[in-house]
Amino acid sequence: MSFSVCICKRQTLDAHPLADFVTTYFENQEIPVCVNIFHGIKNISIFAEKKTIDILLIDLYFVSKEIVTETITFIKHLLELQPHMQIIFMTKPEKYTSELYHISHAYCLLYPLCNENLSDALSIAEKNVLQKRPKTILVKSLRAVMRIHIDDILYVEKDKRKITIHTKKEDIDSYMPIETLLEKLDNRFLHCHKSFIVNMETVEKFERRRFYCQNDVVIPISQLRYSQTKEDFLSYTMLKKV
């Protein structure tokens, strides 16, 4: 687990002590962190299109109502790219405004920045990120070590020693034991056959020892695992309705 933090300040030199504080905060928790400093909000957009941003600390300037509106609109755009991203605003007490409520944020720090408040803000943002961040697992494929979003996995198929992880984007081949992969997944995934794991979120029909899933995928259920599979599937379905 690591964190990506971006700092956006009008004066980039002022951002370096803040970056050092953020780095120390996460290092004290033995969490790897990458801190990037930006001058101006528009420079962050290109970064956000390619890389993850977990926490954004950003100065909010109230030079005019138009600039405030433009800034908030831009941050909303960033949140579309990074839905789990946590915003920490930094502003002067006399400039605090209800405009901030137009966008969801973890904290609003008032200048002069206080280390205690900054630690509180990072703590809240960190917890929110961990709750909202898409869960991922590392898989050693035949070509490289890859990070896969669990939500993207449709089903897993085993053929002799090789497994194929079918995702929304691509199929990934690996020699990881299917039991090892199952330990990394959550309760959405059901080992219904010695050669198959199914994401129950994709199941459209359960009939005659088969799961009929999205995209016309049919997953067999072994006779040996049928009773337990049926029980687990019904339990999962009932819990979702609660």
Side-chain angles (χ1 to χ4, degrees):
M1 178 187 66
S2 62
F3 271 74
S4 170
V5 179
C6 290
I7 297 173
C8 182
K9 288 181 65 69
R10 179 175 292 179
Q11 300 295 330
T12 53
L13 287 177
D14 295 342
H16 290 291
L18 181 56
D20 291 341
F21 185 95
V22 171
T23 301
T24 301
Y25 171 87
F26 284 101
E27 284 181 348
N28 286 342
Q29 299 183 72
E30 299 183 348
I31 298 176
V33 64
C34 178
V35 181
N36 291 278
I37 297 173
F38 293 90
H39 173 64
I41 57 176
K42 293 183 179 179
N43 295 328
I44 304 174
S45 183
I46 298 174
F47 182 90
E49 289 174 358
K50 298 179 180 179
K51 298 186 178 181
T52 297
I53 304 175
D54 293 312
I55 300 173
L56 172 64
L57 293 102
I58 182 168
D59 268 332
L60 205 55
Y61 302 105
F62 296 91
V63 179
S64 67
K65 184 176 179 63
E66 290 73 21
I67 290 179
V68 172
T69 302
E70 179 184 353
T71 301
I72 289 176
T73 300
F74 185 79
I75 293 176
K76 286 181 178 179
H77 168 67
L78 287 181
L79 285 169
E80 290 176 358
L81 297 173
Q82 311 273 351
H84 75 287
M85 181 176 68
Q86 296 298 300
I87 310 296
I88 298 176
F89 287 120
M90 299 177 291
T91 190
K92 294 181 179 179
E94 65 271 17
K95 298 295 185 181
Y96 186 85
T97 172
S98 60
E99 292 283 346
L100 293 181
Y101 290 103
H102 291 178
I103 191 165
S104 175
H105 57 283
Y107 211 96
C108 183
L109 292 167
L110 302 179
Y111 284 112
L113 298 183
C114 164
N115 287 350
E116 183 177 354
N117 289 344
L118 184 52
S119 292
D120 288 344
L122 290 172
S123 176
I124 291 171
E126 176 191 351
K127 290 176 182 176
N128 290 346
V129 167
L130 292 176
Q131 289 177 353
K132 294 184 176 183
R133 178 194 276 176
K135 294 182 179 179
T136 62
I137 58 173
L138 286 175
V139 173
K140 185 177 181 182
S141 72
L142 304 185
R143 295 170 296 172
V145 176
M146 305 177 65
R147 186 173 294 279
I148 305 174
H149 288 284
I150 293 179
D151 291 345
D152 288 343
I153 299 176
L154 304 174
Y155 67 100
V156 181
E157 185 176 5
K158 178 183 177 183
D159 181 18
K160 297 179 181 177
R161 289 183 54 244
K162 184 179 75 175
I163 64 170
T164 300
I165 304 170
H166 299 272
T167 75
K168 295 176 182 178
K169 301 176 182 178
E170 60 183 328
D171 294 341
I172 301 165
D173 293 328
S174 171
Y175 284 110
M176 175 189 295
I178 196 169
E179 294 81 9
T180 301
L181 175 62
L182 187 64
E183 291 175 359
K184 297 174 179 286
L185 303 176
D186 57 36
N187 66 342
R188 285 173 290 178
F189 294 88
L190 194 55
H191 196 183
C192 60
H193 187 285
K194 68 177 182 179
S195 299
F196 286 91
I197 294 173
V198 63
N199 180 349
M200 289 186 282
E201 292 289 336
T202 71
V203 173
E204 296 182 338
K205 186 169 66 171
F206 173 29
E207 183 181 75
R208 296 179 182 175
R209 287 199 8 227
R210 288 182 176 85
F211 282 123
Y212 295 86
C213 305
Q214 299 167 5
N215 302 323
D216 297 322
V217 173
V218 180
I219 306 293
I221 302 169
S222 68
Q223 183 174 353
L224 181 64
R225 299 172 187 262
Y226 177 77
S227 297
Q228 188 63 52
T229 294
K230 182 178 180 180
E231 181 180 334
D232 291 344
F233 179 71
L234 292 176
S235 295
Y236 181 79
T237 304
M238 292 301 295
L239 284 173
K240 282 196 64 182
K241 294 180 179 179
V242 175

